[in-house]
Amino acid sequence: MDLPWTFPTCALLYGHLLPWLRTEGDQSSDDFYNETMAKIFLQYYENTTRVVWNRFMEASWNYVTNINQQNLEEMLLKDMERSQHMLFFGTQARLFKIARFQDPVVKHMLSKLQNIDKAALPKDELQEVMEGAPRSPGTCSPGESGDWWEDVMATSRDQKELLWAWQGWRDAVGPQVRMTFERYVQLSNKAAKLNGYEDMGALWQSMYESDTLEQDLEHLYQELQPLYLNLHAYVRRALHRHYGPELIDLRGPIPAHLLGNMWAQSWVNILDLVLPFPKKPLDDITRNMKVQHWKPEKMFIEAENFYTSLGLLSTPPDFWRKSMMERPADGREVECHASAWDFYNGQDFRIKKCTEVTIEDLLSIFHQMGHIQYFLQYKNLSVIFRAGTNPAFEEAVGLVIILSVFSHKHLLNKGLLSHQHQDSEEEVNFLMGIALDKIAFIPFAYLMDLSRWKVFDGTIQKDVYNQEWWSLRLKYQGLCPPTPRTEEDFDPAAKFHISASMPYLRYFLSLVLQFQFHEALCKATGHMGLLHRCDIYNSKMAGKLLEDVLKLGSSKPWPEVLEKITGETKVPAKAIMTYSKLLLNWLVTENVQQGEILGWPDFSCYFEEKETDKVTFLSLELDPNQVNFGQWVLLALSFVMFLVALLLACRLHSLEKRSPAQDTSVQDISTLEIPPKAYFLGIAMEPRQAVKRRSCWAFNNRKPLWMKAEWWSWD
């Protein structure tokens, strides 16, 4: 096998390994696939991987920061080399009898190496998968489009405009993905089986190393449900006040286009419609930042300062030189959604983001810098262990910092708030903003992978992809599509992570983990009082606790790592419920006073007619005065058609009267055998046929004559 990643610095190891591979068939496998050779093998993998993966990351970075055909082809070439590298080492790793080994680290490394994901596919199918793969290999935020469609969804309060944007996005994206999605499922499952899993869903779940993962997740969701149901009922009432009963049923699900987000995963953009105490609006932090002349570089420096205030590592100089912190001014086409990058050489780490001066982008930068801090902490580990202990940990590190950054105390210290103190009503307003972003996200984050697991294992068949997608969104989110959907649509593809085959469970678990981490870090600082008031800035104790977890990478099982920071081996809902306690108490009281129904007992997304003053006319729902006008127009058209028919009949009658008389005296025998002709609508025919057709014309008014069978029968 040609190994394009071999290079001089690995010559020594290659010299050890190659004779072993060449003589594999001459000696017993136990002699070659023993623990000593496994360590040599792993060292060789380590050194080659740093080069191969670095080349791939460089090519990928070049593409996403300068999108053109040449860079795309180079990236695909390096991706193929990386896949070949994974295939070779993954295949060899499976030959070791790790059950017999003594060193737990060697066993752990080899077991991780055996999972080669899509690289297990035959080369032609691998190429097919790569050509349809996502173009950005960095770590992405859960909300990503940045398109003007999203601006409409976020800012418009016109339900017709919202419907136009909602449906337009899905019509533009869904059908394209729908055509290839079945093939994607087939190839994904084939790759999973080649890796020893039943389907791709099982392979994704294996990253969390739990035999009871699905049951644990459902239990966690049920723990969180009271918080979501109370938020849902309150928001439904607020939307009912704004849009009226024509759109909102107080016992039913919410139309998915009215929640301020293209995917209804975050509802924070409708805060103005649902603010508990409208007379005490929240500070406009974005406006304050612009008044104070914040720049993108200052936003990154603030994030850097927060992490170093905890005693954590600072970013190397190359980070500031090589990162793309703003959209390039030279006109290059770039991918703008935020992502953090590790180039696998222990010194090159970057962020890609088209930063705008907004509070949302500031918090996004803190999140991405959390990924960078993770990279910095585990950079000295083996490449195999350079990842979060599970994918959710990677997300939670940045998110837990945001909980402190967005606290009233921290924003006030940074001069971004005008009010020195928050009263109880202002605190409820603040927590409502948090809930619209995080609590509203709970069921969406859960069902994203739940739906795909069901697709991969065959529970959801291809002929009901869209139907079952909306069944899950109704069951867990209490949402319905604003217009009827069919299987010609493919609404799951409206979300980038589905069309790009990116697992989403990390976002659900990290949503809960961030509060669990926050509670533990705040306890380490000695914080007393309500959890949402805690700010860990400048706490070396909190930083040390976090550092001890981050530097482990994925070298330890995640329950063991979780226990180091929280004292627990599970992910319970207790911390997030504690953080939201003040808001939950207020929501329960408000919903009881309003007589709200929690949930959506009218458990249906069928589009039943509501009682309105609309009248159906020619399959259209119109106002009565529009129907009246339409009826008069039809009456006038009927009268005009009657006159035209009358004039046509008169014209034909005159033509028949002027027909030349028959000269029977000169007819021969054959001519005499032809019966006399009569005319109807200009067509010569036997008299009895003309009479028959005139009768049809006079009495049959249900269909045009030329649509009648007898019109074409000449018998």
Side-chain angles (χ1 to χ4, degrees):
M1 178 177 180
D2 180 28
L3 302 179
W5 51 86
T6 55
F7 48 96
T9 58
C10 292
L12 180 60
L13 283 172
Y14 188 64
H16 282 294
L17 190 64
L18 189 57
W20 167 56
L21 295 175
R22 284 174 175 168
T23 59
E24 178 182 342
D26 300 332
Q27 303 180 40
S28 80
S29 60
D30 288 343
D31 292 339
F32 293 102
Y33 294 101
N34 56 47
E35 194 162 352
T36 301
M37 294 308 296
K39 292 177 180 179
I40 296 175
F41 171 80
L42 288 169
Q43 186 59 51
Y44 179 60
Y45 171 80
E46 182 75 20
N47 289 316
T48 56
T49 299
R50 289 176 182 174
V51 173
V52 175
W53 286 25
N54 176 263
R55 289 174 179 173
F56 168 66
M57 297 303 288
E58 286 285 3
S60 299
W61 178 268
N62 291 339
Y63 173 73
V64 298
T65 59
N66 186 12
I67 298 174
N68 58 51
Q69 187 61 33
Q70 180 180 347
N71 285 345
L72 173 61
E73 291 173 359
E74 180 67 14
M75 182 185 72
L76 292 176
L77 175 63
K78 297 304 180 185
D79 196 10
M80 180 60 76
E81 289 183 2
R82 183 183 66 151
S83 295
Q84 291 175 341
H85 179 269
M86 289 175 63
L87 177 61
F88 171 74
F89 282 95
T91 302
Q92 294 298 323
R94 294 175 185 179
L95 299 176
F96 289 97
K97 308 298 190 294
I98 61 176
R100 303 177 184 175
F101 292 178
Q102 301 299 314
D103 190 331
V105 175
V106 172
K107 295 171 69 173
H108 194 189
M109 294 175 77
L110 285 173
S111 65
K112 280 182 169 289
L113 197 54
Q114 289 171 3
N115 184 355
I116 57 177
D117 199 27
K118 66 181 182 181
L121 290 170
K123 190 172 182 178
D124 58 335
E125 293 178 336
L126 175 60
Q127 186 72 33
E128 184 180 350
V129 170
M130 284 170 32
E131 289 175 355
R135 298 307 183 201
S136 176
T139 306
C140 306
S141 299
E144 66 289 305
S145 144
D147 201 90
W148 64 274
W149 298 88
E150 278 196 86
D151 293 335
V152 173
M153 297 297 295
T155 59
S156 177
R157 296 296 179 260
D158 180 343
Q159 79 89 13
K160 292 183 179 178
E161 186 176 32
L162 291 170
L163 177 60
W164 168 79
W166 187 94
Q167 187 165 347
W169 175 258
R170 282 155 181 77
D171 289 347
V173 175
Q176 299 179 40
V177 179
R178 180 69 176 83
M179 292 186 293
T180 59
F181 192 75
E182 183 184 353
R183 177 61 173 163
Y184 153 76
V185 172
Q186 293 172 352
L187 291 177
S188 297
N189 281 343
K190 182 173 182 178
K193 286 181 171 65
L194 291 171
N195 280 282
Y197 297 93
E198 292 183 3
D199 55 62
M200 183 55 75
L203 189 152
W204 286 359
Q205 292 178 40
S206 70
M207 293 185 285
Y208 296 89
E209 301 173 326
S210 171
D211 296 331
T212 59
L213 180 64
E214 291 191 65
Q215 298 90 323
D216 293 343
L217 292 173
E218 183 64 25
H219 177 71
L220 178 59
Y221 173 77
Q222 294 300 328
E223 285 187 292
L224 295 166
Q225 196 174 33
L227 189 52
Y228 179 76
L229 289 178
N230 275 279
L231 179 67
H232 181 280
Y234 172 77
V235 169
R236 181 174 58 192
R237 168 70 67 174
L239 293 175
H240 181 271
R241 285 196 299 267
H242 184 78
Y243 291 106
E246 294 81 9
L247 288 179
I248 304 296
D249 182 345
L250 288 175
R251 291 174 54 86
I254 300 173
H257 67 312
L258 302 179
L259 292 162
N261 178 269
M262 182 63 76
W263 310 278
Q265 69 181 60
S266 169
W267 304 350
V268 73
N269 288 319
I270 61 166
L271 179 60
D272 59 308
L273 298 182
V274 305
L275 197 66
F277 300 100
K279 293 182 180 179
K280 297 183 177 181
L282 301 178
D283 270 296
D284 187 341
I285 301 175
T286 294
R287 183 184 64 81
N288 294 343
M289 291 172 65
K290 291 180 178 179
V291 168
Q292 296 175 23
H293 306 293
W294 282 56
K295 301 295 182 185
E297 185 178 10
K298 176 178 171 59
M299 296 161 71
F300 278 88
I301 291 173
E302 284 293 332
E304 167 87 345
N305 289 342
F306 193 104
Y307 285 95
T308 56
S309 81
L310 302 177
L312 299 176
L313 298 173
S314 59
T315 52
D318 275 356
F319 169 82
W320 301 94
R321 184 172 60 86
K322 294 183 176 181
S323 290
M324 189 189 86
M325 299 179 182
E326 299 181 64
R327 183 187 293 273
D330 56 11
R332 280 179 286 154
E333 182 183 356
V334 300
E335 281 189 2
C336 271
H337 63 265
S339 54
W341 296 59
D342 179 359
F343 285 77
Y344 294 97
N345 58 12
Q347 53 191 355
D348 193 352
F349 312 96
R350 307 176 199 174
I351 285 177
K352 174 180 63 64
K353 182 173 177 59
C354 299
T355 308
E356 302 286 341
V357 179
T358 66
I359 181 59
E360 292 80 13
D361 275 16
L362 178 62
L363 299 181
S364 174
I365 289 169
F366 274 88
H367 183 181
Q368 297 305 325
M369 290 292 276
H371 289 295
I372 296 296
Q373 187 61 219
Y374 221 147
F375 299 159
L376 290 168
Q377 292 291 342
Y378 60 53
K379 67 180 181 180
N380 294 322
L381 294 178
S382 164
V383 173
I384 296 174
F385 294 143
R386 289 189 200 175
T389 187
N390 71 36
F393 269 68
E394 298 181 31
E395 298 298 324
V397 171
L399 293 172
V400 69
I401 299 300
I402 289 175
L403 291 176
S404 286
V405 172
F406 201 58
S407 67
H408 182 271
K409 177 183 176 181
H410 189 81
L411 292 174
L412 186 64
N413 288 338
K414 294 299 175 182
L416 293 175
L417 294 180
S418 57
H419 299 292
Q420 291 292 320
H421 302 284
Q422 280 184 326
D423 62 27
S424 60
E425 292 181 349
E426 289 170 333
E427 280 192 297
V428 169
N429 280 350
F430 165 78
L431 289 171
M432 178 60 73
I434 297 290
L436 292 175
D437 185 45
K438 296 184 181 293
I439 305 306
F441 185 54
I442 289 170
F444 180 83
Y446 178 39
L447 69 86
M448 277 283 289
D449 273 3
L450 183 64
S451 64
R452 286 185 285 182
W453 295 344
K454 292 178 180 294
V455 168
F456 288 134
D457 70 15
T459 302
I460 296 178
Q461 295 292 312
K462 62 180 180 180
D463 55 341
V464 289
Y465 280 160
N466 215 44
Q467 174 185 322
E468 291 303 312
W469 167 254
W470 282 108
S471 293
L472 288 171
R473 296 204 72 181
L474 173 63
K475 177 180 178 180
Y476 289 102
Q477 279 189 283
L479 303 182
C480 272
T483 59
R485 312 302 287 166
T486 71
E487 287 306 317
E488 293 181 3
D489 304 307
F490 191 55
D491 296 328
K495 186 63 182 170
F496 169 79
H497 293 72
I498 287 184
S499 58
S501 187
M502 297 177 68
Y504 210 78
L505 179 59
R506 66 178 64 192
Y507 301 117
F508 175 63
L509 285 175
S510 65
L511 175 71
V512 184
L513 274 173
Q514 64 184 284
F515 291 95
Q516 200 174 0
F517 287 177
H518 186 59
E519 186 176 50
L521 296 176
C522 289
K523 184 178 179 180
T525 67
H527 173 77
M528 303 292 290
L530 295 175
L531 190 55
H532 68 269
R533 296 175 182 170
C534 173
D535 175 18
I536 66 170
Y537 181 74
N538 241 352
S539 171
K540 301 301 188 290
M541 293 292 292
K544 183 64 169 66
L545 193 59
L546 196 56
E547 178 185 32
D548 290 344
V549 168
L550 301 186
K551 65 172 54 174
L552 294 174
S554 62
S555 64
K556 302 290 183 182
W558 72 265
E560 182 179 330
V561 177
L562 180 62
E563 189 174 19
K564 284 183 176 294
I565 188 171
T566 67
E568 300 172 300
T569 58
K570 297 285 186 181
V571 186
K574 179 175 63 71
I576 189 173
M577 299 298 284
T578 300
Y579 184 96
S580 307
K581 182 179 180 180
L582 187 64
L583 176 66
L584 180 58
N585 290 342
W586 184 88
L587 284 172
V588 170
T589 302
E590 181 72 12
N591 287 337
V592 169
Q593 290 177 351
Q594 295 291 336
E596 298 293 355
I597 301 296
L598 297 188
W600 34 97
D602 298 337
F603 205 70
S604 170
C605 272
Y606 294 110
F607 296 85
E608 300 172 349
E609 295 185 11
K610 297 178 184 265
E611 293 185 6
T612 66
D613 58 354
K614 300 288 186 181
V615 178
T616 302
F617 178 66
L618 297 180
S619 300
L620 300 174
E621 294 288 333
L622 302 174
D623 293 328
N625 60 337
Q626 293 175 310
V627 173
N628 188 47
F629 176 75
Q631 290 173 333
W632 279 107
V633 170
L634 286 181
L635 182 61
L637 289 174
S638 300
F639 182 70
V640 170
M641 292 178 65
F642 172 75
L643 290 178
V644 171
L646 186 62
L647 290 173
L648 180 59
C650 291
R651 174 63 177 166
L652 292 174
H653 180 68
S654 70
L655 288 174
E656 290 181 19
K657 289 182 66 176
R658 280 189 278 173
S659 298
Q662 300 293 329
D663 186 3
T664 57
S665 61
V666 296
Q667 290 176 339
D668 57 20
I669 295 175
S670 62
T671 303
L672 290 173
E673 292 176 353
I674 300 175
K677 293 289 191 292
Y679 291 84
F680 178 67
L681 295 181
I683 301 176
M685 60 186 69
E686 296 179 12
R688 63 186 181 86
Q689 291 283 2
V691 172
K692 180 179 179 182
R693 279 159 171 66
R694 285 169 183 164
S695 298
C696 290
W697 176 273
F699 297 107
N700 192 341
N701 59 0
R702 293 191 178 182
K703 291 185 179 180
L705 294 177
W706 53 88
M707 294 179 65
K708 297 291 184 179
E710 60 266 24
W711 176 255
W712 303 103
S713 173
W714 297 95
D715 297 330

